[in-house]
């Protein structure tokens, strides 16, 4: 896995407006975004002891979490993600899944994926069997992504973060959701070996404060 640097900041709705103008003047919109943004739906997995949630709340430096993800309500492109954190560094693994594979995971049936050649799929299935990993909650939000090729920088503005409470009905895009937590929006900055000064200066705001904000933790606030 390749680890990257990551900053997260809680920002206001007004900050989003300011940053959108600043970033678009220097950075390129992510080519995968439609009209500069896309909708993200994630379904997070956790074990019987809510280990991923507890590690986050307790500030454990080395931690991991699994999630199923799709974009813009399109179930033809599904990915299983494992996000690993080590201090201020992060890494992601992202194999594709078919809808039948995803549905087997939602039903807590790892045996249906036993023939998958992907190591990450096999790892999740093993942890479902041995640690009781199961789907926990849906997390929805809107993302505006920007990229800057020097330093392989990616800056995202995430807002309208909503929780499905205890719903795991991942493919029901009309399932009820409610706002999660108090943060209006989240600024995320990721880069490889160095962060160019121009980008560092762009993301500085008077109201910005460094944060260990977790969408998953915020969306588990109700249970």
């Amino acid at each position: 896995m390749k680890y990257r640097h990551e900053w997260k900041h809680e920002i206001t709705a007004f900050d989003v407006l300011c940053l959108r103008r600043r970033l678009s003047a220097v950075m390129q919109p992510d080519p995968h975004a439609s009209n500069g943004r896309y909708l993200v739906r994630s379904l997070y997995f956790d074990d019987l002891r809510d280990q991923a949630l507890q590690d986050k709340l307790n500030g454990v430096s080395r931690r991991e979490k699994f999630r199923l993800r799709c974009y813009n309500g399109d179930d033809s492109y599904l990915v299983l993600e494992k996000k690993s954190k080590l201090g201020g560094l992060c890494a992601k693994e992202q194999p594709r899944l078919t809808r039948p594979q995803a549905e087997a995971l939602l039903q807590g049936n790892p045996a249906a994926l036993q023939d998958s050649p992907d190591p990450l799929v096999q790892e999740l299935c093993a942890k479902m069997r041995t640690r009781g990993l199961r789907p926990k909650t849906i997390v929805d939000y809107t993302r505006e992504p920007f990229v800057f090729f020097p330093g392989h920088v990616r800056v995202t503005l995430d807002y309208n973060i909503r929780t499905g409470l205890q719903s795991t009905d991942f493919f029901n895009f009309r399932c009820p959701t409610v706002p999660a937590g108090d943060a209006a929006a989240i600024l995320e900055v990721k880069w490889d070996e160095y962060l160019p000064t121009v980008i560092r200066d762009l993301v500085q705001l008077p109201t910005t404060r460094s944060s260990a904000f977790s969408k998953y933790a915020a969306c588990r606030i109700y249970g």
Side-chain angles (χ1 to χ4, degrees):
M1 289 188 299
K2 179 178 177 59
Y3 279 86
R4 306 183 71 205
H5 298 271
E6 180 182 68
W7 281 351
K8 284 188 180 182
H9 302 281
E10 294 184 37
I11 58 176
T12 68
F14 181 72
D15 292 335
V16 171
L17 298 176
C18 294
L19 283 167
R20 180 184 293 140
R21 180 175 298 179
R22 289 187 188 182
L23 296 172
S24 61
V26 176
M27 304 181 72
Q28 298 296 318
D30 188 308
H32 297 101
S34 175
N35 296 318
R37 68 195 66 181
Y38 51 79
L39 303 178
V40 181
R41 166 162 286 193
S42 298
L43 178 71
Y44 285 81
F45 292 77
D46 214 334
D47 64 15
L48 298 174
R49 299 186 299 167
D50 283 333
Q51 191 67 54
L53 177 61
Q54 294 303 322
D55 284 351
K56 175 60 183 178
L57 295 178
N58 294 327
V60 175
S61 176
R62 192 183 193 104
R63 58 187 186 270
E64 66 181 33
K65 55 192 173 190
F66 289 88
R67 61 197 178 201
L68 177 64
R69 178 166 283 188
C70 71
Y71 302 91
N72 293 324
D74 180 7
D75 63 4
S76 67
Y77 185 88
L78 303 168
V79 292
L80 171 66
E81 288 190 349
K82 176 186 176 182
K83 185 171 183 180
S84 302
K85 292 278 290 184
L86 181 60
L89 301 174
C90 67
K92 285 198 294 189
E93 300 168 79
Q94 296 176 297
R96 290 279 301 272
L97 291 181
T98 64
R99 175 150 179 171
Q101 288 176 319
E103 288 176 339
L105 294 178
L106 297 178
Q107 295 162 8
N109 180 23
L113 284 79
Q114 62 184 359
D115 296 328
S116 172
D118 190 273
L120 186 59
V121 173
Q122 290 299 325
E123 180 183 347
L124 175 60
C125 290
K127 289 179 177 177
M128 290 179 75
R129 291 191 295 267
T130 60
R131 289 177 42 193
L133 259 70
R134 290 294 183 271
K136 289 289 184 175
T137 191
I138 288 170
V139 177
D140 287 343
Y141 58 94
T142 300
R143 166 163 284 182
E144 292 188 34
F146 300 86
V147 293
F148 191 72
F149 295 105
H152 192 204
V153 181
R154 181 176 172 84
V155 177
T156 57
L157 305 174
D158 296 342
Y159 50 88
N160 194 24
I161 303 167
R162 302 180 67 85
T163 172
L165 301 175
Q166 296 181 341
S167 172
T168 59
D169 194 1
F170 184 76
F171 293 113
N172 177 9
F173 296 104
R174 295 185 177 181
C175 71
T177 59
V178 298
D182 298 324
I186 301 297
L187 164 68
E188 294 188 9
V189 185
K190 297 185 178 74
W191 71 95
D192 286 348
E193 284 74 20
Y194 70 99
L195 179 62
T197 301
V198 62
I199 304 300
R200 188 185 299 268
D201 291 343
L202 281 176
V203 298
Q204 299 300 317
L205 292 169
T207 58
T208 298
R209 66 184 189 277
S210 181
S211 168
F213 185 90
S214 162
K215 299 183 187 74
Y216 172 56
C219 289
R220 289 291 306 275
I221 191 172
Y222 303 108

